[in-house]
Amino acid sequence: GYDMSSKNISYYESEALKDSDAKIKESDEDFVVSDYGPKDKLPESMRKPTIYVAFNHPVIPLSKLGEVMKSSNIFKITPEIKGTYRFYGTRLLSFEPDDEVLPQREYVISINRDIKSLGGKSITGETSFAFKTEELRIVSYTPNQYDTPIKESKEIRLVFSYPVNINLIKKYLTVKSKEKNYNFDIKEPSKDEQITEDVRKRTVILTIGENFPENSEV
């Protein structure tokens, strides 16, 4: 959660009094979130999205621009993502994740209700927003054509839209032909394969324990 110690809360306020750059007369407008992102559902290709919140009034003095922070009392992200916070201007706070977001999740960005503008206004209006990540899905598989020789059909390669844990994903995979479920072993691609690390993390190889019947659909 937020570090709500009085030291952190008063920090920006005291800076505003000392910093000549911060002595900007604010308009009479309420202090609100003027923009944020991302919105709605992330594209599949965006696995490390920039998360940002913009305000209509300054929240830090100019002298604080450029600082790199591992935590912030301006907003929090749930589920938590590790990364770096940085102000781009006195009104815009951006977060760059270190890790990829997880599939099939809703991430909630919550603005700290106790923050104030440099002019001392309390935040009003909407202070929470969310975005969703793409569902996990199979983007390609082999063999992928009809008339596959029986021997070649005993090894099935699946490529997912996100990196997967083979021990976890096995619980959700079923191989069936003519109403019969087939046992299989699961493994990652060999390190010798000429594929990128991204593809390797998203690929699993299933080895079927017995032959499928002829003229059957799997």
Side-chain angles (χ1 to χ4, degrees), residues 4 8 12 16 25 32-33 35 45-46 64 71 106 110 112 122 145 170 178 184:
M4 298 309 299
N8 278 2
Y12 293 115
K25 180 175 174 57
V32 298
V33 174
D35 194 15
S45 59
M46 191 180 292
K64 291 298 176 184
S71 62
E106 180 179 74
S110 303
N112 182 355
S122 296
Q145 73 275 1
K170 182 177 182 179
K178 290 190 174 181
F184 59 86

Side-chain angles (χ1 to χ4, degrees), residues 7 18 63 67 78 95 111 120 128 136 150 172 201:
K7 178 180 179 182
K18 297 175 184 176
S63 61
E67 286 190 5
T78 309
F95 173 81
I111 313 299
S128 179
L136 182 67
I150 290 177
Y172 300 97
K201 290 178 179 178

Side-chain angles (χ1 to χ4, degrees), residues 38-196:
K39 299 179 175 73
D40 304 321
K41 182 181 286 188
L42 288 184
E44 178 189 312
S45 59
M46 191 180 292
R47 299 196 188 129
K48 289 186 176 181
T50 296
I51 299 170
Y52 69 91
V53 175
F55 301 93
N56 66 333
H57 293 306
V59 290
I60 63 163
L62 289 172
S63 61
K64 291 298 176 184
L65 294 183
E67 286 190 5
V68 177
M69 303 166 286
K70 285 299 180 182
S71 62
S72 172
N73 74 327
I74 303 295
F75 67 78
K76 70 174 181 178
I77 306 165
T78 309
E80 183 181 3
I81 310 173
K82 292 182 180 179
T84 302
Y85 295 85
R86 184 182 283 106
F87 272 97
Y88 292 98
T90 59
R91 306 178 185 190
L92 176 63
L93 178 59
S94 177
F95 173 81
E96 300 291 341
D98 292 337
D99 302 323
E100 294 184 356
V101 293
L102 299 172
Q104 303 181 133
R105 295 293 179 94
E106 180 179 74
Y107 286 87
V108 178
I109 287 72
S110 303
I111 313 299
N112 182 355
R113 296 288 302 186
D114 290 327
I115 65 168
K116 294 181 184 296
S117 69
L118 280 185
K121 290 186 175 71
S122 296
I123 191 76
T124 61
E126 199 67 40
T127 55
S128 179
F129 67 89
F131 65 89
K132 294 181 179 179
T133 54
E134 285 273 347
E135 295 180 354
L136 182 67
R137 59 189 180 89
I138 296 172
V139 295
S140 67
Y141 59 92
T142 52
N144 56 11
Q145 73 275 1
Y146 289 103
D147 300 327
T148 300
I150 290 177
K151 288 184 179 179
E152 293 181 16
S153 67
K154 291 186 70 173
E155 184 172 284
I156 301 172
R157 176 181 291 251
L158 306 175
V159 182
F160 291 87
S161 54
Y162 283 88
V164 291
N165 179 312
I166 61 173
N167 295 319
L168 182 60
I169 201 67
K170 182 177 182 179
K171 302 174 184 178
Y172 300 97
L173 297 176
T174 302
V175 179
K176 180 182 290 188
S177 180
K178 290 190 174 181
E179 302 306 313
K180 176 183 175 180
N181 287 340
Y182 284 77
N183 293 327
F184 59 86
D185 291 325
I186 187 169
K187 64 180 180 181
E188 299 172 340
S190 165
K191 294 291 185 181
D192 297 329
E193 282 196 32
Q194 298 300 307
I195 56 177
T196 66

Side-chain angles (χ1 to χ4, degrees), residues 194-212:
Q194 298 300 307
I195 56 177
T196 66
E197 192 61 25
D198 172 63
V199 173
R200 187 187 312 280
K201 290 178 179 178
R202 295 188 288 116
T203 302
V204 299
I205 300 171
L206 312 184
T207 304
I208 314 305
E210 56 184 304
N211 287 332
F212 296 113

Side-chain angles (χ1 to χ4, degrees), residues 25-38:
K25 180 175 174 57
E26 292 181 354
S27 69
D28 292 334
E29 292 180 342
D30 289 340
F31 178 39
V32 298
V33 174
S34 59
D35 194 15
Y36 61 85

